[in-house]
Amino acid sequence: MSRIRIFDTTLRDGEQSPGVNLNRMEKLEIAKQLERLGVDVMEAGFPAASEGDFQAVKLIADTIKNVSVTALARTRKEDIDRAYEALKNTPNPRIHVFLATSPIHMTYKLKMTPEQVMEQSVKMVKYAKERFPEVEWSAEDATRSEWPFLAELIEQVIEAGATVINLPDTVGYTTPEEYGKMFKYMKENVPNIDRADLSCHCHNDLGMAAANTMAAIENGATQVEGTINGIGERAGNVALEEVAVALKIRGDRYGFETGLKLDEIKRSSDLVAKLTGMYVQANKAIVGRNAYAHESGIHQDGVLKNAETYEIITPELVGVSSNTLFMGKHSGRHAFKDKVNAFGVEMSEEEIKSAFKNFKTLTDHKREVTDDDIYTLIMEVKTEQSAIEKYTLQTFQVNYGTQNITTATVSLNTPEGETIQTAATGNGSVEALYRTIAELISYDQKLLDYQINSVGGGKDALAESHVQLSVEGQAVNGRGTAQDVLEASANAYINAVNRYLLKTQATKEEVVNG
Ligand SMILES: [Zn+2]
């Protein structure tokens, strides 16, 4: 079977999802998981966008060795130079340059003629080729571009050195038949097309991203771009797990395979959901909580007699384990370490010590600690930004009663090392708690979004909270975990404030460093 290459853009296109804001350490953990999953290429970010983006791409490029790391650049020398700087330590770098080719984008956004777009693309692909072995060129808004113009442009950028040609459905507008025909047209009308890989990149605005991707594959695309869980701008990108599993299950129909380790899919999905706060709907294909649950009696009966009656995918195929091994109070440090290794996560002695301490605290309250709990504890430690002076929660108490006014008392440690305390009221527990914390922190704060979820099942499950705050007019996200929902909520709020502090500190450094 021939191989379809998987280009993951969770950290670039996915990170552009509204409300998603990953820090460097979180991006790195996702990158390592993508390496375990076995993607062929990962797009780590857009280095020219900001110092923070640059640093994140550099950290990933310095760490990831077994997957090609790429970064996005406009067709500008500064962008390509910046990407080169960020990617110079990775063994298999690739640059991804893009320019819009549709009449509407060229006229209104770029204010360039088609000839200028052609000239600029060729010039910058040549410039990029002098620095990178692999140059991917994207025709932004390809699906609303004129095919003969696009064909001529593709021929020229391949001549200039492009090794991958991407034809994105940037606005999620195309249909399977139309998108397939476009790939076929380019295959037939670009004389040097065999010197480059053809890539598809679909958005899901009309719910057709997966169908469009499969149509592109049937018509000559050899690379698929997408994200884990399908996160991304607006309605998101195609979900890579859907494409990979569809190719596997319907290999009879498509005749292609990917290099993905399918049993790493669930872990990848969970990690991305956990760190972005973009939880997966229960009925989502492949990774949804209900994707393998059979509810109706007739279905259950059939599955018991022969699983294939109603089950086309086994949960094991994508790493959904039914028999989680529990650890408890008596599990020692050695067993905990084995668990960390089983997840494939590398941790320093210091990090293990810290995670193990949290594990022990958890076993005081929770009899059976699951894999999901432990993974959550590990990720808490791995993604913590320890370098900054920050707020920490010391103690809090909330008094709630249906007849009483809800009151919260909170004591915080400040970045300056003081301990401050106050009390305030609210209509409910979370409101009282948040009001009290807000009173202690002198910035202008507004709560934009609040979520609470449980990790796994059971009434003693860990709680995981995500918040989005506006601090001094800047939107920041925060994430918190604890056994109690209020404590998780408090942690998430304080985490968001700390991220604001980190952002402003980083900006100050940028100014100092010029
Ligand atoms: Zn996109």
Side-chain angles (χ1 to χ4, degrees):
M1 270 202 237
S2 7
R3 169 91 173 258
I4 295 293
R5 274 201 270 271
I6 297 292
F7 176 115
D8 177 279
T9 183
T10 303
L11 295 170
R12 203 276 301 166
D13 221 335
E15 218 253 348
Q16 282 170 229
S17 307
V20 171
N21 195 333
L22 297 167
N23 70 30
R24 230 152 46 100
M25 302 314 288
E26 290 165 337
K27 286 183 183 172
L28 183 63
E29 284 311 313
I30 291 176
K32 287 183 190 163
Q33 180 56 35
L34 293 171
E35 192 177 33
R36 284 190 283 271
L37 176 63
V39 303
D40 296 284
V41 186
M42 68 172 82
E43 187 163 50
F46 184 6
S50 74
E51 179 62 22
D53 267 53
F54 174 86
Q55 292 297 346
V57 175
K58 183 161 173 11
L59 180 66
I60 291 167
D62 290 352
T63 313
I64 298 298
K65 302 292 173 224
N66 300 317
V67 170
S68 171
V69 181
T70 188
L72 189 68
R74 288 165 294 189
T75 46
R76 297 179 184 185
K77 279 187 180 173
E78 318 84 88
D79 280 28
I80 296 168
D81 290 344
R82 202 77 178 127
Y84 179 75
E85 269 309 302
L87 294 174
K88 67 181 172 195
N89 293 331
T90 193
N92 297 301
R94 176 192 288 193
I95 181 110
H96 178 194
V97 290
F98 72 98
L99 193 59
T101 53
S102 63
I104 183 168
H105 276 235
M106 291 191 290
T107 311
Y108 295 101
K109 190 183 80 176
L110 300 176
K111 299 188 174 27
M112 286 167 85
T113 64
E115 293 71 33
Q116 287 170 324
V117 165
M118 190 145 347
E119 196 191 310
Q120 178 80 355
S121 297
V122 168
K123 210 163 100 189
M124 286 303 111
V125 166
K126 278 188 184 151
Y127 184 78
K129 187 68 180 181
E130 288 163 15
R131 286 151 187 84
F132 289 90
E134 293 277 340
V135 178
E136 173 168 334
W137 178 81
S138 274
E140 192 189 3
D141 205 16
T143 47
R144 291 191 298 173
S145 303
E146 285 162 8
W147 293 0
F149 167 66
L150 204 49
E152 199 187 329
L153 183 46
I154 292 171
E155 185 185 348
Q156 299 228 11
V157 292
I158 292 176
E159 202 50 52
T163 51
V164 183
I165 300 295
N166 181 37
L167 302 176
D169 184 26
T170 307
V171 293
Y173 179 73
T174 199
T175 67
E177 195 198 0
E178 183 184 55
Y179 199 49
K181 275 188 179 156
M182 183 173 78
F183 279 79
K184 191 158 185 279
Y185 180 91
M186 299 308 157
K187 278 293 229 192
E188 286 169 356
N189 290 279
V190 178
N192 55 2
I193 196 74
D194 290 335
R195 284 162 49 193
D197 269 316
L198 262 182
S199 169
C200 57
H201 177 120
C202 296
H203 280 269
N204 206 27
D205 297 67
L206 296 175
M208 292 197 278
N212 290 338
T213 299
M214 300 318 274
I217 290 172
E218 287 180 295
N219 287 281
T222 49
Q223 175 180 282
V224 169
E225 301 192 4
T227 61
I228 302 298
N229 297 340
I231 64 169
E233 292 246 38
R234 307 183 313 276
N237 291 58
V238 73
L240 288 175
E241 65 275 12
E242 293 176 13
V243 176
V245 174
L247 287 174
K248 167 80 183 169
I249 298 296
R250 297 309 312 271
D252 61 321
R253 178 76 180 75
Y254 292 105
F256 292 103
E257 60 183 4
T258 69
L260 290 196
K261 290 187 197 68
L262 299 181
D263 59 1
E264 286 289 336
I265 283 179
K266 185 61 168 60
R267 172 87 48 220
S268 309
S269 164
D270 285 349
L271 181 65
V272 169
K274 183 186 292 299
L275 298 184
T276 58
M278 302 265 294
Y279 287 94
V280 168
Q281 82 208 45
N283 61 325
K284 159 90 172 60
I286 316 299
V287 291
R289 193 171 71 242
N290 291 353
Y292 306 95
H294 303 278
E295 189 67 21
S296 93
I298 292 173
H299 288 207
Q300 284 176 349
D301 182 53
V303 168
L304 285 175
K305 286 175 176 150
N306 178 347
E308 280 177 30
T309 49
Y310 288 97
E311 194 173 79
I312 63 157
I313 312 164
T314 64
E316 292 76 24
L317 179 77
V318 296
V320 176
S321 53
S322 43
N323 52 342
T324 310
L325 280 175
F326 294 99
M327 295 179 78
K329 221 176 172 49
H330 303 293
S331 305
R333 207 177 138 121
H334 197 79
F336 186 78
K337 239 173 142 171
D338 284 349
K339 200 59 153 180
V340 172
N341 291 336
F343 287 133
V345 177
E346 279 171 35
M347 291 183 98
S348 66
E349 277 305 312
E350 197 76 352
E351 287 171 334
I352 291 204
K353 210 170 136 187
S354 165
F356 185 68
K357 202 178 123 213
N358 296 343
F359 166 72
K360 278 290 166 191
T361 313
L362 182 63
T363 58
D364 287 342
H365 304 279
K366 197 172 194 275
R367 222 155 41 88
E368 288 179 328
V369 177
T370 64
D371 278 3
D372 285 346
D373 293 328
I374 294 173
Y375 192 70
T376 302
L377 295 178
I378 292 172
M379 283 305 140
E380 282 288 293
V381 171
K382 290 300 288 181
T383 58
E384 195 189 359
Q385 299 252 14
S386 51
I388 59 155
E389 303 297 328
K390 55 190 179 183
Y391 287 97
T392 50
L393 180 66
Q394 201 183 44
T395 56
F396 78 96
Q397 189 179 339
V398 176
N399 285 315
Y400 174 82
T402 47
Q403 303 293 325
N404 309 328
I405 295 168
T406 310
T407 314
T409 313
V410 177
S411 134
L412 285 186
N413 295 326
T414 70
E416 295 75 31
E418 289 167 64
T419 304
I420 48 177
Q421 185 175 340
T422 195
T425 60
N427 290 313
S429 302
V430 175
E431 194 197 357
L433 182 62
Y434 280 7
R435 269 198 189 167
T436 316
I437 298 172
E439 262 184 40
L440 289 170
I441 294 170
S442 54
Y443 302 109
D444 175 49
Q445 306 144 66
K446 210 167 116 195
L447 183 66
L448 304 176
D449 191 27
Y450 168 76
Q451 289 186 65
I452 187 90
N453 280 283
S454 70
V455 177
K459 59 181 189 301
D460 60 354
L462 271 179
E464 199 166 53
S465 174
H466 281 87
V467 300
Q468 194 177 22
L469 289 189
S470 158
V471 183
E472 298 290 330
Q474 276 195 52
V476 277
N477 291 42
R479 187 162 54 82
T481 308
Q483 183 147 39
D484 176 77
V485 288
L486 288 177
E487 191 177 343
S489 306
N491 287 341
Y493 191 100
I494 295 166
N495 181 249
V497 174
N498 286 332
R499 282 181 198 235
Y500 168 78
L501 290 182
L502 183 75
K503 252 183 159 178
T504 49
Q505 282 179 12
T507 322
K508 268 187 221 148
E509 271 167 35
E510 251 174 72
V511 173
V512 175
N513 297 336

